[in-house]
């Protein structure tokens, strides 16, 4: 078999992201929705699609969609109406999905991706529209029938459609992470891909580099985790290039990702594009968005990751890496901001959060909001170190784990109980230094004759004598002074 | 507009219906009649007329984001042709 030169080809990828909105009630009726609730309990005659029922629009969905639009630099459509997308499926009781066709709520935005090497790239957003989710079908639980749970029917979604600006699985992964970050900062979606509250479909084609014309587009579905999105796209790109190299034609089709085998499989070929017979939804009156409504939503917007990144680097002087990690999720960024309300040692606050707190949480498989210590308590630890009362290693290895167990105590109490408070009383330190030096008269002469590294030996003896309680910084300074006087 | 067998077949497919040959022939006739009746409207020049989508002038008929419980699971399943204690049951519609 001859070698395929994959670098001759350029993948062209556009993503469609569906995000479930974290409203209390559904999009067009007042049912609750709790993931994992007992089947067919979060339902009403409206979500069941009973004849004679009429949808009632939840205003919060409009606010949430506008928030995402503003976060993605989109224009907000002034006059909108809904459409019906008609198709038959057992988990769609009405026989149509309420969605937006001609007048999506947001159009024409973009988001910026930042790569590890410091480069960045803009991905344009075609549109964001509002629609409703369908119910769930289970095909494997019963031998004869498919089972239908309509709890999810009518849950509000926004669909975020990108331009075909994405060029690799890695870029797709990064784009998806950015979208998720925005959704979560805005507190409009929980971003959980495994539970399906955020879903992603990819439109993928490949073409020879330098050609204008797009190749035949294949849609890939069912990539239900971040790593699967990257794997599925990388696989599909390779599959298409191999097909072209073998002179096979790529058919316009929908493929599903098999996460176990790591491959995409044909689901259905699109024999003549599906005919959804969109038409304006007559049951929902049109929506008019005034500038004052947009202004009101704008006022509710929280700080976004980009704003916080700028603040952390410019105002607090953190480096790019620290600022990126700390703004990666909202709870970490908020926690960090609260620590530095109580300490001026910004760098130390960043390190404690990114290293000690994070590795503890990872070990215990906890979220930051389940963490026993509050930001003020982390600031107290930092203060104790900065005042020279405890060493950094004692604080991180002994005091921190104990403090988590006994968070009702003060960190000073913990340090006392563990006998880890350092001695920075100069009289006490001088006593230890004098004892040590009196034991090594010859070494003092060697030191005086230029054997500077003997300082480490004297320090070691001082630490030993003090049972580790001497403040090393202070002790080493005093030791030097004593030797110089000698 | 002529209603062909292909058009009837496509509509039947979209509506998940099946027609016999006689039924198809009858449908062709009926639908041709309906269409030609409606085609009368094409005589009007609507070049610069915005389509009228809604019959009322109302906009922004919106409700607050509040949860209201309306029916129980038993009530939800009550009218289903086939069900068990938790689910609506339908013929298996996915090919393995």
């Amino acid at each position: 078999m001859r070698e395929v030169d994959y670098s001759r080809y350029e993948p062209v990828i556009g993503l469609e992201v569906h995000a479930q909105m974290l409203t209390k009630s559904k999009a067009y009726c007042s049912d609750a929705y709790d993931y994992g609730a007992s089947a067919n309990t979060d339902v009403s005659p409206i979500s069941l699609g009973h004849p004679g029922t009429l949808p009632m629009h939840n205003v919060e969905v409009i606010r949430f969609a506008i928030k995402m639009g503003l976060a993605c630099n989109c224009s907000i459509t002034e006059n909108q109406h809904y459409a019906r997308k008609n198709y038959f499926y057992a988990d769609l009781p009405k026989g149509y999905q309420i969605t937006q066709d001609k007048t999506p709520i947001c159009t024409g935005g973009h988001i910026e991706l930042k790569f590890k090497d410091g480069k960045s790239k803009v991905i344009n957003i075609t549109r964001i529209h509002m629609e409703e989710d369908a119910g769930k079908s289970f095909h494997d639980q019963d031998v004869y029938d498919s089972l239908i749970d309509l709890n999810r029917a009518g849950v509000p979604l926004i669909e975020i459609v990108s331009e075909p600006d994405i060029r690799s699985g890695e870029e797709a992964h990064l784009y998806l992470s950015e979208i998720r970050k925005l959704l979560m900062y805005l507190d409009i979606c929980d971003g959980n891909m495994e539970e399906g509250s955020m879903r992603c479909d990819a439109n993928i084609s490949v073409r020879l580099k330098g050609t204008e014309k797009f190749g035949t587009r294949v849609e890939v579905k069912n990539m239900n985790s971040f790593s699967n999105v990257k794997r599925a796209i990388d696989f599909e790109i390779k599959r298409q290039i191999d097909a072209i190299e073998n002179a096979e034609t790529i058919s316009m089709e929908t493929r599903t990702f098999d996460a176990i085998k790591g491959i995409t499989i044909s689901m259905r070929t699109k024999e003549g594009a599906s005919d959804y017979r969109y038409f304006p939804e007559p049951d929902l009156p049109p929506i008019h968005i005034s500038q004052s409504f947009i202004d009101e939503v704008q006022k509710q917007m929280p700080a976004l990751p980009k704003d916080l990144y700028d603040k952390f680097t410019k105002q607090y002087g953190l480096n790019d890496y620290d600022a990126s990690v700390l703004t990666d999720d909202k709870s970490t960024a908020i926690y960090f901001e609260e620590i530095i309300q109580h300490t001026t040692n910004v760098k130390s606050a960043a390190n404690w959060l990114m290293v000690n707190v994070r590795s503890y949480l990872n070990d215990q498989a906890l979220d930051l909001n389940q963490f026993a210590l509050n930001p003020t308590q982390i600031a107290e630890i930092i203060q104790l170190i900065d005042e020279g009362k405890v060493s950094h290693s004692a604080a991180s290895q002994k005091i921190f784990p104990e403090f988590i167990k006994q968070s009702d105590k003060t960190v000073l109490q913990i340090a006392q109980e563990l006998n880890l408070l350092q001695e920075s009383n100069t009289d006490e330190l001088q006593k230890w230094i004098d004892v040590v030096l009196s034991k090594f008269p010859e070494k003092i002469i060697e030191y005086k004759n230029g054997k500077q590294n003997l300082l480490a030996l004297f320090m070691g003896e001082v630490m030993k004598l003090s049972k580790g309680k001497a403040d090393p910084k202070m002790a080493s300074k005093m030791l030097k002074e004593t030797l110089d006087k000698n | 507009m002529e209603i062909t067998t292909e058009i009837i077949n496509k509509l039947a497919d979209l509506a998940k219906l099946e027609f016999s040959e006689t039924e198809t022939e009858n449908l062709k006739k009926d639908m041709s009649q309906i269409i030609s009746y409606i085609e009368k409207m094409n005589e009007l020049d609507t070049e610069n007329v915005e389509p009228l989508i809604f019959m009322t002038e109302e906009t922004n008929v919106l409700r607050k984001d509040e949860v209201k419980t309306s029916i129980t699971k038993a009530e939800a399943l009550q009218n289903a042709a086939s069900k068990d204690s938790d689910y609506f049951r339908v013929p298996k519609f996915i090919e393995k």
Side-chain angles (χ1 to χ4, degrees):
Chain A
M1 227 176 93
R2 98 198 128 86
E3 282 282 308
V4 176
D5 181 7
Y6 293 98
S7 66
R8 288 169 63 222
Y9 291 88
E10 174 183 59
V12 177
I13 304 159
L15 292 187
E16 293 168 10
V17 179
H18 285 89
Q20 267 179 8
M21 298 289 94
L22 277 178
T23 49
K24 297 186 195 85
S25 64
K26 289 184 182 176
Y28 314 112
C29 61
S30 306
D31 311 358
Y33 175 62
D34 298 301
Y35 180 86
S38 170
N40 295 304
T41 50
D42 291 339
V43 293
S44 64
I46 298 176
S47 51
L48 296 176
H50 281 209
T53 56
L54 286 172
M56 278 286 279
H57 200 304
N58 183 346
V59 66
E60 197 73 348
V61 179
I62 299 176
R63 285 203 191 97
F64 282 11
I66 292 177
K67 278 186 185 177
M68 191 57 182
L70 294 174
C72 297
N73 316 290
C74 297
S75 319
I76 309 300
T77 308
E78 192 181 353
N79 292 303
Q80 306 163 38
H81 61 267
Y82 275 99
R84 288 186 182 183
K85 178 179 177 177
N86 299 281
Y87 65 94
F88 282 111
Y89 211 73
D91 56 26
L92 185 79
K94 297 192 299 303
Y96 57 86
Q97 178 194 33
I98 301 178
T99 181
Q100 293 190 302
D101 178 31
K102 298 250 164 37
T103 56
I105 185 161
C106 311
T107 55
H110 65 268
I111 62 167
E112 195 180 337
L113 306 185
K114 269 201 175 139
F115 298 101
K116 282 202 185 98
D117 60 9
K119 290 197 184 113
S120 62
K121 175 175 177 175
V122 167
I123 305 292
N124 290 295
I125 287 173
T126 317
R127 59 186 277 166
I128 301 174
H129 64 258
M130 303 181 285
E131 59 185 28
E132 60 177 337
D133 213 339
K136 266 187 194 162
S137 312
F138 300 93
H139 305 295
D140 303 326
Q141 295 189 359
D142 186 86
V143 189
Y144 306 105
D145 292 337
S146 288
L147 307 180
I148 309 293
D149 171 11
L150 293 176
N151 281 348
R152 202 179 63 180
V155 169
L157 298 175
I158 54 171
E159 181 174 338
I160 304 149
V161 183
S162 86
E163 288 289 301
D165 290 346
I166 298 164
R167 292 288 172 270
S168 69
E170 195 204 342
E171 280 185 24
H173 185 273
L174 211 54
Y175 168 83
L176 205 57
S177 308
E178 277 305 309
I179 293 284
R180 179 169 183 267
K181 215 193 280 182
L182 289 175
L183 291 165
M184 293 180 71
Y185 264 79
L186 293 169
D187 211 11
I188 60 174
C189 173
D190 70 18
N192 191 330
M193 282 195 84
E194 283 77 11
E195 287 181 3
S197 41
M198 185 174 151
R199 304 193 282 273
C200 173
D201 302 333
N203 286 304
I204 305 168
S205 65
V206 298
R207 63 183 174 193
L208 279 171
K209 276 182 187 159
T211 45
E212 284 283 312
K213 206 169 154 269
F214 291 127
T216 307
R217 178 165 55 98
V218 171
E219 187 178 9
V220 179
K221 288 180 175 291
N222 294 333
M223 306 173 286
N224 55 359
S225 76
F226 275 83
S227 58
N228 283 349
V229 170
K230 186 171 179 301
R231 286 170 70 209
I233 290 175
D234 287 341
F235 174 87
E236 182 60 23
I237 292 167
K238 187 171 174 298
R239 187 191 72 84
Q240 291 187 16
I241 295 173
D242 287 340
I244 295 170
E245 288 278 322
N246 291 326
E248 292 163 22
T249 43
I250 293 164
S251 46
M252 188 153 151
E253 61 178 350
T254 302
R255 297 176 74 87
T256 180
F257 182 61
D258 181 329
I260 295 163
K261 294 193 185 119
I263 60 170
T264 63
I265 302 159
S266 181
M267 277 169 87
R268 52 174 183 261
T269 43
K270 292 188 171 172
E271 303 151 359
S274 10
D275 187 351
Y276 290 121
R277 293 149 293 149
Y278 285 96
F279 65 86
E281 162 62 275
D283 288 346
L284 286 166
I287 299 161
H288 173 81
I289 307 286
S290 64
Q291 188 55 47
S292 63
F293 188 84
I294 299 173
D295 293 344
E296 182 205 314
V297 174
Q298 180 81 59
K299 275 190 213 132
Q300 301 167 355
M301 293 280 282
L304 295 174
K306 196 176 167 296
D307 308 327
L308 290 178
Y309 174 88
D310 288 345
K311 186 174 172 189
F312 288 5
T313 49
K314 288 178 191 141
Q315 198 175 321
Y316 303 155
L318 289 177
N319 62 33
D320 167 76
Y321 175 79
D322 289 357
S324 303
V325 174
L326 290 171
T327 54
D328 210 30
D329 70 81
K330 192 185 184 179
S331 53
T332 307
I334 291 173
Y335 197 97
F336 175 73
E337 290 243 77
E338 284 177 28
I339 301 178
I340 60 168
Q341 297 297 310
H342 304 280
T343 175
T344 48
N345 195 341
V346 174
K347 180 67 192 163
S348 190
N351 285 339
W352 269 89
L353 189 50
M354 294 188 315
V355 180
N356 306 67
V357 175
R358 186 181 258 215
S359 66
Y360 170 79
L361 294 175
N362 283 349
D363 284 352
Q364 305 290 318
L366 293 175
D367 282 336
L368 190 53
N369 55 24
Q370 299 167 296
F371 185 48
L373 299 179
N374 62 43
T376 320
Q377 291 172 308
I378 298 294
E380 283 168 13
I381 302 178
I382 294 168
Q383 196 187 350
L384 216 57
I385 301 168
D386 289 351
E387 286 172 353
K389 290 192 177 135
V390 294
S391 70
H392 184 272
S393 64
S396 60
Q397 284 159 28
K398 297 191 177 128
I399 297 172
F400 178 63
E402 197 56 35
F403 199 15
I404 294 170
K405 283 185 221 150
Q406 306 189 56
S407 57
D408 52 328
K409 293 189 175 159
T410 68
V411 66
L412 193 62
Q413 281 172 320
I414 305 270
Q416 272 161 351
E417 282 171 18
L418 294 173
N419 201 18
L420 288 169
L421 279 183
Q422 291 182 149
E423 192 55 70
S424 46
N425 178 315
T426 46
D427 293 346
E428 198 66 27
L429 288 175
Q430 193 63 53
K431 241 186 270 169
W432 286 326
I433 289 167
D434 292 344
V435 171
V436 167
L437 291 183
S438 68
K439 280 199 269 183
F440 301 104
E442 328 80 62
K443 299 270 184 210
I444 296 177
I445 297 165
E446 283 179 48
Y447 175 81
K448 295 249 171 191
N449 288 336
K451 239 180 148 184
Q452 293 283 323
N453 55 4
L454 281 170
L455 199 63
L457 173 104
F458 298 137
M459 256 315 281
E461 290 296 320
V462 171
M463 292 310 286
K464 229 191 269 171
L465 189 63
S466 72
K467 300 200 175 84
K469 287 170 72 180
D471 173 353
K473 248 190 230 158
M474 183 89 83
S476 122
K477 188 170 155 257
M478 288 174 63
L479 181 65
K480 246 195 207 151
E481 284 167 4
T482 314
L483 282 162
D484 292 344
K485 269 189 280 173
N486 235 314
Chain B
M1 181 183 167
E2 196 205 345
I3 302 296
T4 60
T5 308
E6 285 71 45
I7 292 175
I8 298 291
N9 286 347
K10 189 188 172 204
L11 289 174
D13 191 43
L14 288 170
K16 302 272 186 272
L17 295 172
E18 265 180 304
F19 299 120
S20 68
E21 256 176 61
T22 348
E23 282 171 326
T24 305
E25 285 311 308
N26 288 338
L27 274 167
K28 272 160 76 174
K29 258 185 257 158
D30 288 352
M31 287 194 67
S32 296
Q33 260 177 21
I34 295 165
I35 297 287
S36 59
Y37 176 66
I38 289 172
E39 267 178 344
K40 176 87 181 152
M41 289 196 285
N42 287 345
E43 290 169 17
L44 283 174
D45 178 10
T46 55
E47 189 67 41
N48 294 312
V49 182
E50 280 291 311
L52 177 72
I53 301 176
F54 297 97
M55 300 303 285
T56 70
E57 300 279 301
E58 273 184 314
T59 59
N60 296 356
V61 181
L62 305 167
R63 66 176 173 84
K64 280 192 192 157
D65 183 23
E66 288 167 347
V67 171
K68 285 180 196 152
T69 324
S70 63
I71 54 170
T72 63
K73 182 192 302 208
E75 286 167 333
L77 295 168
Q78 186 180 307
N79 298 327
S82 175
K83 68 198 167 197
D84 57 29
S85 54
D86 284 315
Y87 295 98
F88 297 93
R89 302 179 74 103
V90 297
K92 223 166 238 197
F93 56 90
I94 201 162
E95 292 141 40
K96 281 264 161 171

